Amino acid sequence: MGSELVGRENELRLGEEALDALRSGSPAFLAVLGQPGIGKTRLLAELTREAETRGYLALGGRGGELERDLPFGVVADALDAYVAGLGPVLDDLPSDTLVHLAAVLPSVGPPGGGTDMLQEERYRAFRAVRALIELLAARRPLVLALDDLHWADPASVELLSYLLRHPPAAPVLFLLALRPHQAPTRLHLVLDAATREGAVTRLELGPLTSGEAEALMGAGVDAAQRQALYRESGGNPFFLEELLRTGRHRAGSEQEAAVIVEEVPAGVVAVISQELALLSSQATLVLRAGAVAGDPFELDLAAEIAELDEEEVLEPLDELFDAGLLQPTGVPRRFRFRHPIVRRAVYTSAGRGWRLAAHRRAADALAARGAPAAARAHHVARSARTGDLEAVSLLSQAGESVAVHAPVTAAEWFAAAIRLLPEGEREAARRIQLLAARATALGASGRLEEAREALLETLALIPPDQTSLHVRLTAVCAAVEHLLGLHVEARNRLRRALEELSDARSPDAVTLHLELSADGLWMSDFDGMRTWAMGGLALASDIGDRLLIAAATLHLAYAECCEGDITGATQHLAEATELFVALPDDELASRLDTAMHLGYCSVLMGRFSEAERHVTRGLALARSTGQGALLKLMTTALAWATSAQGRLAEALELAERASESSRLTGNAQELSFALGLQSWIAALAGHTAEAGKAAEESLTLAPRLERSVISAAAGWTVAASIIERGEPGRAAEVILQRVGGPDLPLVAPSIKCLCYEILTRAELGRGRLVEAEEWARRAESFAERLGLPFADIFARRASAEVALERGDHALAVDHARASARAAEGVGARLDAARARVLAGRALAASSDREPAVAELVTAAEELSVCGAVHLAGEAAAVLRRLGHRVPAPGRVEDRGPLPGLSRREAEIAELIYEGMTNREIAAKLFVSERTVESHVAHILAKLGVSSRTAVAALIADARRAVPSP
């Protein structure tokens, strides 16, 4: 009885197969699910021992029932002690990675040093953990066993969700154990999705068979007792062992069972209670102190909680080991309880009064050691009394310290601080401050309903003389209501706040006018946008506030752009841009929405370099001032502008960041749009699998989206991705469903021509020339009325596609070249190259070889530089058909060890030859992994090979071919 694993042959086999598979160098996830005591921990221990036998690095940690408010507790339990002993090995990680890693692992250093990360960017800490895992697994395979994940804190769940979506590029086996009925919903969802995709293998442990149970019981138990024990335990191995521990199979009551933990039989409760009753008073005291300290717990902290010195602790400690209630860990003076159920029983048996005092002693002991506020808050929240302002300050400080990386925990500590505040006006300002901080944290974690409740409570407390604060939080509350789909409530709230203003010609009045203008965007009420923007501009001009004048002018330009008044939009965008550029950063920081709106309006007008410049400034200010609410939409705008200028690798990295940020905040509207853009850019870059995955996730969000410009943008970007991946019928279906039908009422005018071009290609792809001609005609007619070069790109391209299909090659060339000129005029490098491919195809079809070759060679070079390798390949294929020499596989031109590569590509090729992974190359060159992936794709295409191994072989061959001096 005890240490030997009984049964579970199939589960062990699958686990050992997963260990075998690590030799391939790929990551894997094995999820073990089952009720309490069913053997999850035992199975993980067996697989961990097997991993160590094979020479693998095996690390483990587990969640604690009473420690779910400690950020990254599960991950820190698994990694922190080991990382503390690595020393200079960590120097292989970039400095910014170490900064973010410190937020997760205390041994790395104090968190937050030298970083301006926002709550919405906490995925950067997850990337740091992934980089650490890859570093640990670089020398030998790693097995990371994470137990009791049903008690994982929210930050750990977010981290695990990220790792499931973005597995480490290394031989790592994640062993994940949890009780399915108690696991957080977020963890359930991501595990289910990963299981459907084949990324996770699930093992659901059931009861032991009667034969397996008899093997566990061993000799000395008669047949009648065997049957009774099996029936009482339900085949649960832990319950069975507990019943066997004292030779009893029936005792206690159902009421006693409920005291310890759900689903535990009364007989098991009685056995544990009997074990505790047999302990000496000193041993009981030490055990209870350990239960308060944690699981695992530090002996020294437990001694201070028990108010005992070291000599008084050691003898009871031996007694607890002899009784089998405690177990050693791999760290000296740190111990675990035999099972979480035992720890729960010990903690509950201590009594409420004793626990209050014990948590207070724990907080004092940690304070004396200089522990950070976050480590002490866990105990302060469980022991402080109402009116304890020192505790309020500590909890507030703890919330602020973890708000960036663990906003859910921060919100809970802010709530605890609020509960401790005494009633009365004396602490009203502090209560408002804490409520606002809690609302911000809740919003950042996606708990929008709770955020709205906190904001409403805050608004009710704001004194009448604090008008500006009331207006600012009213705008925030309205924004949250829009995200919840409460558009009418949001609009009414803003109008009511405007009506209640004592000064209708104040800066606060301008702010509310502009919020109501932005409100029109959600409702696709472009006329309303213009009306409110004009009113705000008139008020701002009367006041003479240059920041508000700039913001109002921009809102007016945005409204005119959405209405199709390009003349007015052009004029007001130029005015707003001039004002924006002249504003000092400290002024602009108070209205960062101006940078976001300026970026989007510039993109919609085809001013991509300007958009990039404005949004980059806005993002820098957002980080330096800690304003993350607009981060996702600004990052998406930057990705859009960057991709249009032909920097696909950079754009894809930005789109992925926007997706991760939106996923963390639970914003379905913004997530759907970011995923759609990510899918489109990935498709252009030739990352077909990533494009498809992002598109499908965006589409699954569609039923949750309100009809708006944002949801429509999610629709047409997904459709653009689908058409690039060769699914014309589905692309047409998606775009028409998501943008409101053939007239595209939910799409900005400049984007309508892009949508019409997608529909044109979709119909041509289905062999429906007449329908394609109609969409192309609409595009040309609309572009002519609009008078915007950005729209001409797509209208002319659609017409060229139709003319080429119809056999009118000369007309196709004219339209394609006009499209290229329009694209070049606005800096849309990628679209210009695509138009030239189209012109080259038309010229080739008319047997005009030399001009065709010239167009196609230029286009292929441009597309390759942009990162659209597969589109460059299409141009190369046409060139080959024309008899133009294209470098054959393995052959290159120009000079150097691998001729034909740029300087950066040659540098990366050398690092590939040295055996470095993309992650390692990115860290060495201080670029993103996505950028490295793009360069590698270019290298493969230029060299005509299909693998990194082939690149290394070419370098080796080239070096062997050089005679020795």
Side-chain angles (χ1 to χ4, degrees):
M1 179 182 83
S3 61
E4 183 180 355
L5 181 65
V6 174
R8 312 304 185 199
E9 288 83 2
N10 184 58
E11 290 83 357
L12 277 172
R13 177 183 58 79
L14 291 172
E16 290 173 358
E17 288 176 357
L19 292 172
D20 292 338
L22 289 182
R23 297 192 187 100
S24 69
S26 300
F29 293 84
L30 194 66
V32 182
L33 294 84
Q35 62 174 303
I38 203 66
K40 303 182 296 297
T41 300
R42 191 77 62 83
L43 180 61
L44 261 58
E46 189 68 24
L47 292 174
T48 298
R49 280 194 292 269
E50 175 62 23
E52 291 173 335
T53 300
R54 298 174 182 222
Y56 298 171
L57 172 62
L59 302 173
R62 76 186 195 193
E65 182 181 7
L66 306 180
E67 285 78 33
R68 283 176 278 187
D69 57 353
L70 296 180
F72 300 109
V74 179
V75 180
D77 188 28
L79 296 175
D80 199 51
Y82 182 80
V83 169
L86 287 178
V89 174
L90 288 181
D91 293 342
D92 291 341
L93 294 174
S95 58
D96 65 328
T97 297
L98 290 173
V99 167
H100 296 311
L101 194 59
V104 181
L105 303 180
S107 64
V108 177
T115 178
D116 54 3
M117 192 175 76
L118 301 169
Q119 287 176 320
E120 292 79 2
E121 293 182 301
R122 57 189 184 275
Y123 63 82
R124 292 164 70 181
F126 308 159
R127 286 182 173 183
V129 173
R130 185 178 67 177
L132 171 66
I133 290 172
E134 290 174 342
L135 178 68
L136 297 179
R139 293 159 180 80
R140 52 177 172 153
L142 169 65
V143 174
L144 197 57
L146 303 178
D147 200 359
D148 291 331
L149 289 179
H150 45 279
W151 289 327
D153 60 276
S156 290
V157 171
E158 286 186 344
L159 171 55
L160 286 172
S161 300
Y162 179 87
L163 292 173
L164 280 161
R165 291 191 305 274
H166 306 281
V172 184
L173 173 61
F174 292 85
L175 299 174
L176 313 176
L178 62 149
R179 302 175 190 173
H181 300 303
Q182 298 179 26
T185 301
R186 186 169 197 154
L187 184 58
H188 260 308
L189 292 174
V190 73
L191 276 175
D192 289 345
T195 302
R196 287 193 301 271
E197 294 168 4
V200 171
T201 300
R202 294 170 72 108
L203 302 180
E204 301 200 20
L205 302 186
L208 299 176
T209 66
S210 58
E212 291 167 342
E214 288 186 8
L216 185 60
M217 292 180 211
V221 182
D222 62 36
Q225 286 180 314
R226 289 177 188 275
Q227 292 179 7
L229 287 167
Y230 185 66
R231 182 174 59 252
E232 174 74 8
S233 68
N236 183 299
F238 174 75
F239 295 167
L240 182 57
E241 288 183 342
E242 291 300 302
L243 293 171
L244 283 166
R245 192 172 295 277
T246 59
R248 299 180 55 172
H249 72 273
R250 195 71 173 167
S253 69
E254 297 299 327
Q255 185 176 1
E256 289 177 300
V259 169
I260 294 182
V261 68
E262 295 178 1
E263 304 178 13
V264 180
V268 174
V269 175
V271 169
I272 296 175
S273 299
Q274 182 175 336
E275 285 187 274
L276 300 181
L278 295 174
L279 296 174
S280 67
S281 59
Q282 288 287 81
T284 300
L285 179 60
V286 170
L287 195 63
R288 288 174 173 172
V292 169
D295 188 17
F297 65 86
E298 303 287 345
L299 180 61
D300 295 339
L301 179 58
E304 293 187 63
I305 294 171
E307 299 181 290
L308 300 173
D309 59 33
E310 182 167 341
E311 291 300 320
E312 293 175 305
V313 167
L314 295 180
E315 185 175 341
L317 185 65
D318 289 336
E319 181 182 347
L320 295 171
F321 272 102
D322 291 340
L325 289 163
L326 291 181
Q327 298 173 344
T329 67
V331 180
R333 304 179 72 83
R334 181 183 292 178
F335 307 102
R336 286 194 184 280
F337 284 83
R338 182 173 76 224
H339 194 279
I341 291 175
V342 174
R343 190 247 183 138
R344 177 66 175 176
V346 171
Y347 185 84
T348 303
S349 70
R352 295 180 184 275
W354 186 89
R355 294 200 303 266
L356 281 172
H359 279 296
R360 185 176 63 250
R361 291 193 293 271
D364 292 342
L366 290 170
R369 299 179 182 189
R376 296 153 56 195
H378 167 72
H379 297 287
V380 170
R382 288 165 171 77
S383 60
R385 59 172 60 89
T386 301
D388 185 343
L389 297 183
E390 185 177 341
V392 170
S393 295
L394 184 283
L395 290 167
S396 176
Q397 181 184 348
E400 292 167 0
S401 71
V402 303
V404 169
H405 297 96
V408 173
T409 297
E412 291 173 355
W413 284 342
F414 289 139
I418 292 167
R419 288 193 296 271
L420 295 178
L421 276 175
E423 296 295 334
E425 294 184 5
R426 187 172 181 180
E427 297 297 332
R430 200 170 194 177
R431 187 180 300 276
I432 290 171
Q433 181 184 17
L434 286 168
L435 280 167
R438 182 168 183 267
T440 300
L442 289 167
S445 59
R447 293 162 63 168
L448 298 178
E449 292 87 353
E450 294 174 73
R452 179 175 181 259
E453 290 175 8
L455 285 166
L456 292 176
E457 186 177 352
T458 308
L459 287 168
L461 293 173
I462 295 175
D465 59 338
Q466 296 187 25
T467 305
S468 295
L469 176 61
H470 193 279
V471 167
R472 180 170 64 82
L473 292 184
T474 295
V476 173
C477 188
V480 170
E481 287 173 330
H482 277 307
L483 294 175
L484 289 168
L486 304 174
H487 303 304
V488 174
E489 289 88 339
R491 175 171 289 184
N492 289 342
R493 183 174 307 284
L494 293 168
R495 286 180 171 175
R496 188 163 57 250
L498 183 60
E499 292 167 358
E500 293 171 355
L501 279 181
S502 57
D503 184 356
R505 306 190 68 78
S506 63
D508 290 327
V510 178
T511 295
L512 288 170
H513 272 78
L514 299 185
E515 291 297 332
L516 282 162
S517 177
D519 170 86
L521 190 63
W522 285 98
M523 312 287 282
S524 297
D525 179 9
F526 304 136
D527 183 60
M529 285 180 67
R530 183 201 287 257
T531 300
W532 285 109
M534 290 176 66
L537 179 56
L539 285 175
S541 299
D542 286 348
I543 296 169
D545 188 312
R546 60 180 179 175
L547 174 60
L548 291 176
I549 292 171
T553 304
L554 177 58
H555 274 263
L556 181 55
Y558 205 166
E560 290 166 336
C561 179
C562 290
E563 281 191 305
D565 180 0
I566 300 304
T567 301
T570 300
Q571 175 190 336
H572 289 119
L573 179 59
E575 293 174 6
T577 299
E578 183 178 354
L579 292 166
F580 177 88
V581 171
L583 286 169
D585 285 351
D586 58 346
E587 282 190 50
L588 182 60
S590 64
R591 286 218 60 110
L592 275 183
D593 60 319
T594 306
M596 182 194 72
H597 288 131
L598 185 56
Y600 274 103
C601 192
S602 297
V603 166
L604 293 174
M605 297 288 285
R607 300 182 177 187
F608 304 113
S609 61
E610 292 180 25
E612 180 180 0
R613 185 166 61 252
H614 302 323
V615 174
T616 298
R617 182 186 179 193
L619 285 170
L621 283 173
R623 293 192 178 96
S624 64
T625 59
Q627 301 180 65
L630 301 175
L631 178 86
K632 302 176 291 297
L633 286 175
M634 281 201 287
T635 304
T636 307
L638 185 57
W640 191 352
T642 306
S643 66
Q645 295 175 84
R647 306 201 310 271
L648 291 182
E650 183 180 341
L652 191 53
E653 171 76 13
L654 289 165
E656 184 181 303
R657 290 180 189 177
S659 296
E660 288 300 328
S661 295
S662 300
R663 187 178 281 107
L664 287 172
T665 56
N667 187 326
Q669 293 270 1
E670 292 174 349
L671 176 58
S672 183
F673 178 30
L675 285 168
L677 189 62
Q678 180 183 345
S679 174
W680 183 24
I681 298 170
L684 291 170
H687 301 301
T688 306
E690 179 179 352
K693 187 174 180 179
E696 294 307 317
E697 186 178 357
S698 180
L699 288 173
T700 61
L701 295 170
R704 296 165 50 188
L705 304 182
E706 299 286 330
R707 283 168 54 95
S708 71
V709 170
I710 296 178
S711 63
W716 68 256
T717 50
V718 168
S721 168
I722 292 172
I723 195 70
E724 296 296 341
R725 290 183 288 122
E727 300 179 64
R730 191 175 183 215
E733 178 185 337
V734 167
I735 202 167
L736 291 174
Q737 283 181 348
R738 301 286 292 278
V739 301
D743 292 332
L744 315 181
L746 299 178
V747 175
S750 58
I751 301 301
K752 286 188 178 183
C753 290
L754 170 57
C755 294
Y756 287 140
E757 191 264 348
I758 293 171
L759 288 163
T760 300
R761 283 196 284 156
E763 296 298 357
L764 289 174
R766 294 194 286 184
R768 298 166 55 170
L769 179 58
V770 173
E771 288 81 357
E773 287 177 330
E774 173 58 23
W775 290 122
R777 186 197 62 76
R778 286 196 185 205
E780 280 226 56
S781 175
F782 193 82
E784 186 177 349
R785 294 200 309 272
L786 204 59
L788 186 66
F790 179 49
D792 288 340
I793 298 171
F794 308 107
R796 289 298 198 121
R797 200 161 79 198
S799 296
E801 291 277 6
V802 169
L804 180 59
E805 181 67 22
R806 203 170 49 223
D808 192 341
H809 302 139
L811 184 60
V813 171
D814 288 345
H815 281 307
R817 285 177 168 168
S819 175
R821 288 193 298 272
E824 289 164 352
V826 299
R829 190 175 188 180
L830 180 62
D831 284 308
R834 296 193 71 174
R836 295 205 175 279
V837 172
L838 192 52
R841 287 172 53 205
L843 289 165
S846 62
S847 301
D848 205 350
R849 183 181 182 281
E850 292 306 317
V853 169
E855 291 280 14
L856 290 166
V857 167
T858 300
E861 290 175 353
E862 280 289 281
L863 290 168
S864 181
V865 170
C866 290
V869 178
H870 76 297
L871 294 175
E874 292 177 8
V878 181
L879 283 169
R880 289 191 185 97
R881 289 199 296 271
L882 291 171
H884 182 78
R885 189 171 69 87
V886 176
R891 295 182 58 192
V892 291
E893 299 170 348
D894 300 329
R895 64 185 185 277
L898 286 182
L901 301 183
S902 68
R903 181 178 300 175
R904 177 63 98 182
E905 290 165 351
E907 183 180 17
I908 290 174
E910 287 290 341
L911 296 176
I912 290 173
Y913 175 74
E914 294 175 14
M916 295 182 72
T917 65
N918 285 359
R919 172 75 58 184
E920 292 167 336
I921 294 171
K924 182 177 180 64
L925 301 181
F926 300 99
V927 297
S928 73
E929 187 177 1
R930 180 75 64 197
T931 298
V932 175
E933 290 174 358
S934 179
H935 281 306
V936 171
H938 294 174
I939 292 167
L940 298 180
K942 287 184 177 182
L943 299 181
V945 296
S946 59
S947 69
R948 296 161 59 93
T949 303
V951 174
L954 284 175
I955 294 178
D957 290 343
R959 289 181 174 175
R960 282 194 294 269
V962 177
S964 300

